[in-house]
């Protein structure tokens, strides 16, 4: 497992180096000095500001309060403890968390009670490592931290851990990313109906429910004290968009009909991918591919539910992790980042492993090779300063 992880990490590092060299050869002089920090581009710029200077909030423009605190706080602690620059600390934390997530996923696959083909866990781990949008997990993004916490949460429930430990882990997920609320219903079910109940009274279990949301509650309290607005992270989202917000009826109609997805490929639409991507070939554009990754994950989830390859907890979690970003940000962001969000729905890798284990090996290897090639392309584009969201 470690050798596989290191091999893929080297592949991504080589691709990023090639992309950075291309940018250095053809980019303007003022960009060359910033190349060492290019891996901390995109959301990494916001996280770097938070780790270095703390949060800011302006009602009239996009603010750093939109980003949750666990990842920049860990990076800041690492930077202060080791003397590393903030950008380097961000990368160390994200890569370390991804390595932990990979190891936890391997353990989780071993402990699943459902019968699987012998090769299915290996293919699941391969898909988990090679999905093209997982290159974000190795950049200065918070997804790898959330992924490690989320897999650890599911593993704790499978091991019949103490409800208090499960609740604390769910709370940590809500401090890492807003999508952490997807874990709360599972934590509530475990607290009330799990194998171990620490308190016989409803009051005690209700306290544990509050504990399971400690991260987002603490963040709301901080915003209330600091800015007088406990939900500033929600309010500032209106400044993060690729097209103007739409009315609630129009939004619901677009989401239900999946027009949010199809509009990305209509040249007459305000969401057309070509408006936001400079790539000449659609296959090289992540903005063009985002709906494909989201739909692919949704199809895998449906297959997993239909065939019962996923248990109900895995199916519920994957459904929530796919639907919440789609419903809340899919329209205004023109499906941008949905491929990255879908990559966090780790139960779909279990289904991918099941399918790859059942097809001829040459087909499985070919699929993984295509994924690896796209992984390298996206990594090089990101390191070259391309806008990938």
């Amino acid at each position: 497992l470690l050798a596989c992880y290191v091999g893929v990490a080297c592949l991504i590092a080589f691709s990023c180096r090639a992309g950075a060299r291309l940018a250095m050869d053809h980019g303007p002089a003022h960009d060359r000095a910033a190349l060492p920090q290019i891996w901390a581009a995109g959301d990494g710029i916001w996280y770097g500001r938070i780790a270095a200077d703390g949060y800011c909030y302006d009602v009239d423009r996009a603010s750093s309060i939109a980003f949750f605190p666990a990842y920049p706080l860990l990076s800041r602690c690492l930077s202060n403890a080791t003397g590393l620059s903030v950008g380097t600390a961000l990368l160390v934390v994200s890569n370390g968390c991804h390595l932990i997530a990979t190891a936890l996923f391997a353990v989780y696959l071993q402990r699943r009670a459902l019968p699987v083909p012998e090769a299915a866990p290996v293919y699941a781990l391969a898909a988990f490592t090679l999905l093209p949008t997982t290159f974000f997990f190795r950049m200065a993004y918070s997804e790898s931290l959330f992924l490690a916490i989320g897999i650890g949460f599911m593993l704790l429930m499978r091991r019949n851990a103490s409800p208090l430990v499960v609740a604390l882990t769910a709370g940590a997920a809500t401090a890492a990313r807003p999508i952490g609320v997807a874990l709360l219903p599972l934590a509530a079910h475990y607290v009330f109906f799990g194998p171990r109940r620490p308190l016989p009274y409803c009051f005690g279990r209700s306290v544990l429910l509050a504990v399971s949301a400690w991260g987002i509650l603490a963040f709301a309290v901080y915003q209330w004290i600091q800015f007088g607005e406990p939900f500033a992270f929600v309010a500032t989202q209106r400044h993060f968009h690729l097209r103007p917000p739409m009315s609630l009826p129009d939004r619901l109609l677009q989401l239900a009909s999946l027009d949010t997805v199809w509009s990305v490929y209509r040249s007459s639409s305000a969401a057309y991918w070509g408006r936001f991507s400079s790539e000449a070939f659609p296959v090289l554009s992540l903005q063009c591919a985002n709906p494909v990754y989201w739909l692919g994950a949704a199809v895998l989830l449906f297959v997993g539910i239909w065939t019962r390859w996923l248990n109900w907890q895995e199916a519920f979690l994957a459904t929530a992790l796919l639907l919440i970003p789609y419903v809340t940000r899919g329209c205004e962001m023109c499906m941008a980042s949905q491929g990255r969000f879908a990559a966090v729905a780790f139960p779909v890798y279990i289904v991918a492993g099941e399918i790859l284990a059942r097809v001829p090996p040459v087909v499985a290897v070919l699929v993984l090779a295509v994924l690896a090639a796209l992984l390298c392309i996206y990594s090089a584009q990101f390191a070259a300063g391309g806008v990938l969201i």
Side-chain angles (χ1 to χ4, degrees):
L1 175 63
L2 182 61
C4 177
Y5 181 88
V6 171
V8 175
C10 291
L11 187 66
I12 292 176
F14 176 81
S15 301
C16 288
R17 183 179 178 85
R21 282 183 174 177
L22 180 65
M24 184 175 293
D25 292 340
H26 300 282
H30 65 82
D31 284 339
R32 298 180 186 179
L35 280 177
Q37 299 297 324
I38 200 65
W39 289 8
D43 287 1
I45 297 175
W46 289 103
Y47 285 122
R49 293 173 183 171
I50 297 168
D53 305 316
Y55 279 105
C56 68
Y57 175 53
D58 188 334
V59 296
D60 297 322
R61 60 182 179 180
S63 304
S64 61
I65 199 65
F67 298 87
F68 273 46
Y71 176 56
L73 181 60
L74 283 175
S75 301
R76 181 173 186 169
C77 292
L78 178 64
S79 177
N80 291 339
T82 62
L84 293 172
S85 67
V86 168
T88 302
L90 289 168
L91 293 173
V92 170
V93 170
S94 62
N95 282 271
C97 287
H98 188 254
L99 177 58
I100 293 171
T102 304
L104 289 175
F105 189 50
V107 175
Y108 183 81
L109 290 172
Q110 288 182 335
R111 293 185 176 274
R112 295 183 78 244
L114 299 176
V116 296
E118 185 177 353
V122 177
Y123 282 121
L125 274 173
F128 181 84
T129 307
L130 294 176
L131 183 73
T133 52
T134 61
F135 86 90
F136 282 109
F137 298 166
R138 297 170 175 88
M139 306 302 170
Y141 281 70
S142 62
E143 273 79 10
S144 56
L145 173 60
F146 173 80
L147 193 63
I149 298 172
I151 298 175
F153 170 81
M154 295 292 283
L155 189 58
L156 286 171
M157 290 199 302
R158 184 164 292 279
R159 292 173 63 99
N160 296 329
S162 164
L164 176 60
V165 175
V166 171
L168 287 171
T169 305
T174 66
R177 290 191 61 81
I179 195 65
V181 297
L183 276 61
L184 298 186
L186 292 176
H189 182 273
Y190 190 84
V191 166
F192 280 95
F193 305 107
R196 299 171 63 180
R197 300 178 181 177
L199 295 175
Y201 302 108
C202 185
F203 174 76
R205 299 172 198 165
S206 299
V207 170
L208 285 180
L209 291 183
V211 169
S212 67
W214 68 262
I216 195 170
L217 291 177
F219 192 37
V221 170
Y222 165 81
Q223 294 169 84
W224 190 14
I225 295 173
Q226 189 74 13
F227 307 113
E229 171 56 70
F231 299 107
F233 72 94
V234 177
T236 197
Q237 292 296 332
R238 68 178 181 270
H239 300 295
F240 291 87
H241 58 76
L242 296 181
R243 65 177 177 180
M246 58 185 63
S247 64
L248 181 60
D250 289 340
R251 172 198 287 269
L252 294 177
L253 179 60
Q254 287 235 345
L255 292 172
S257 65
L258 292 182
D259 188 67
T260 302
V261 175
W262 314 133
S263 62
V264 174
Y265 303 106
R266 290 201 305 267
S267 58
S268 60
S269 171
Y272 180 58
W273 69 270
R275 300 177 186 270
F276 313 104
S277 177
S278 60
E279 298 298 330
F281 301 101
V283 71
L284 300 181
S285 170
L286 181 57
Q287 180 62 21
C288 180
N290 272 317
V292 176
Y293 291 120
W294 186 85
L295 281 174
V299 170
L300 288 175
L301 174 59
F302 175 80
V303 172
I305 295 173
W306 181 266
T307 58
R308 298 185 179 180
W309 289 339
L310 300 178
N311 59 40
W312 75 267
Q313 292 100 332
E314 295 163 346
F316 177 89
L317 181 59
T319 301
L321 292 175
L322 290 176
L323 282 183
I324 292 176
Y326 173 70
V327 171
T328 57
R329 301 298 293 160
C331 290
E332 288 80 1
M333 292 299 293
C334 307
M335 292 299 289
S337 298
Q338 293 297 321
R340 170 163 56 97
F341 299 151
V344 178
F346 68 90
V348 301
Y349 299 109
I350 299 173
V351 183
E354 293 276 0
I355 294 175
L356 291 174
R358 287 169 166 80
V359 301
V362 64
V363 175
V365 171
L366 180 61
V367 170
L368 294 176
V370 171
L371 295 181
L374 288 173
L375 179 68
C376 293
I377 291 171
Y378 292 158
S379 300
Q381 288 176 338
F382 189 86
V387 180
L388 274 71
I389 52 179

